[in-house]
């Protein structure tokens, strides 16, 4: 097996080591000793975009919010569903991740940042949502490994009942929030319902019908 190659590194806002590595043709991004994402499995990252846009894709001028960029698979899947008049706003915390998407990772999702329908905000999604943006038709939240802070401790503010209410307010009536998760969380599903979403959990696998098992929390604003 090939050795792991360090391609680049940076620091998270909390000072943890953020690394981009490659091995046997696949790329991984790690935070400290933990894996944040890998290019080996991305089916469920695409599925979140499909679910967020299931109703809205055909609406004229559909707007989708994607947090964060990662390797761009979710953004690509959203762009493939949006019409010419659609818009995708992607909010990414780490400038290094954006730089890597314009460099060594660009080919993975066919350079989604070059699409004129994309607006990139290098910002904290917590602050972006708190600033009450113009409402979206779909929101995808994939900033951690699930509805527990992992990349940045302040991300816990997204998963509280208040955080979920802010996300609800950032959706148009009929709009859909989808939260990617590596684990099940009945308490989180309940919090979504208490915050006002018609919410359900959908299962997905990392590689179509194979790979890691993930849970996608889908909430519709009534
Ligand atoms: C698991 S990856 C996303 C994978 C992505 N769905 C894809 O298709 O490749 C999580 C991303 O969210 C970013 N992130 C973490 N916390 C964030 C925050 N508070 N605001 C914006 N982006 C954040 C990370 O830097 C990382 O790029």
């Amino acid at each position: 097996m090939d050795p792991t190659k360090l391609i680049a590194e940076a620091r998270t806002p909390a000072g943890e080591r953020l690394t981009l590595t490659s091995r046997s043709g696949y790329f991984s991004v790690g935070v400290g000793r933990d894996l944040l994402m890998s290019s080996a499995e991305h089916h469920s990252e695409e599925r979140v975009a499909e679910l967020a846009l299931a109703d809205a894709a055909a609406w004229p001028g559909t707007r989708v919010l994607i947090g964060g960029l990662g390797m761009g698979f979710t953004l690509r899947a959203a762009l493939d569903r949006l019409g010419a008049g659609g818009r995708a706003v992607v909010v990414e915390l780490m400038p290094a991740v954006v730089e890597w998407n314009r460099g060594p990772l660009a080919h993975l999702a066919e350079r989604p940042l070059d699409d004129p329908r994309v607006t990139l905000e290098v910002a904290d999604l917590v602050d972006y949502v708190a600033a009450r943006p113009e409402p979206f038709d779909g929101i995808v939240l994939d900033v951690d490994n699930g509805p527990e802070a992992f990349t940045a401790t302040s991300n816990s503010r997204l998963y509280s009942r208040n955080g979920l209410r802010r996300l609800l307010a950032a959706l148009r009536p009929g709009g859909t929030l989808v939260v990617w998760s590596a684990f099940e969380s009945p308490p989180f599903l309940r919090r979504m319902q208490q915050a006002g979403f018609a919410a359900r959990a959908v299962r997905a696998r990392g590689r179509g019908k194979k790979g890691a098992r993930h849970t996608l929390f889908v909430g519709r604003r009534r």
Side-chain angles (χ1 to χ4, degrees):
M1 199 178 272
D2 289 349
T4 301
K5 231 172 43 191
L6 178 68
I7 298 179
E9 61 181 289
R11 292 274 157 190
T12 69
E16 280 201 276
R17 191 166 175 245
L18 184 74
T19 53
L20 173 63
T21 56
S22 75
R23 184 180 185 176
S24 306
Y26 293 111
F27 293 87
S28 299
V29 173
V31 176
R33 289 170 166 269
D34 296 315
L35 177 69
L36 180 61
M37 62 198 136
S38 157
S39 65
E41 297 200 349
H42 46 85
H43 173 78
S44 58
E45 280 80 358
E46 290 154 3
R47 190 81 184 104
V48 281
E50 282 170 27
L51 289 164
L53 290 171
D55 296 328
W59 300 348
T62 298
R63 274 166 45 88
V64 62
L65 171 64
I66 295 169
L69 175 62
M71 294 181 175
F73 295 114
T74 302
L75 177 58
R76 165 54 57 205
L79 291 171
D80 287 350
R81 272 151 197 86
L82 287 173
R87 292 281 174 267
V89 175
V90 55
V91 180
E92 170 55 49
L93 182 64
M94 306 211 229
V97 169
V98 174
E99 193 186 306
W100 299 344
N101 269 267
R102 293 203 160 114
L105 302 179
H107 63 288
L108 292 177
E110 298 167 61
R111 310 192 72 93
L113 291 178
D114 292 351
D115 192 301
R117 295 169 297 171
V118 173
T119 302
L120 169 70
E121 301 276 352
V122 181
D124 189 328
L125 189 71
V126 176
D127 299 333
Y128 184 86
V129 172
R132 299 175 177 272
E134 199 186 312
F136 292 87
D137 302 293
I139 300 179
V140 174
L141 201 59
D142 181 12
V143 292
D144 292 303
N145 275 347
E148 282 174 11
F150 168 75
T151 319
T153 47
S154 54
N155 280 357
S156 59
R157 286 159 56 195
L158 294 165
Y159 312 121
S160 64
R161 207 184 303 174
N162 278 345
L164 285 167
R165 285 202 181 113
R166 276 194 284 272
L167 286 163
L168 186 81
L171 276 174
R172 288 196 190 132
T176 303
L177 166 71
V178 186
V179 182
W180 188 97
S181 178
F183 48 85
E184 294 184 26
S185 177
F188 180 69
L189 188 62
R190 267 197 305 280
R191 276 206 303 284
M192 283 182 83
Q193 288 159 347
Q194 287 160 352
F197 288 97
R200 66 198 163 102
V202 173
R203 315 276 168 235
R205 305 286 299 260
R207 282 180 283 125
K209 291 186 175 153
K210 296 183 186 164
R213 290 171 195 276
H214 301 140
T215 301
L216 313 179
F217 298 99
V218 181
R220 192 164 182 278
R221 180 172 173 172
R222 297 185 181 88

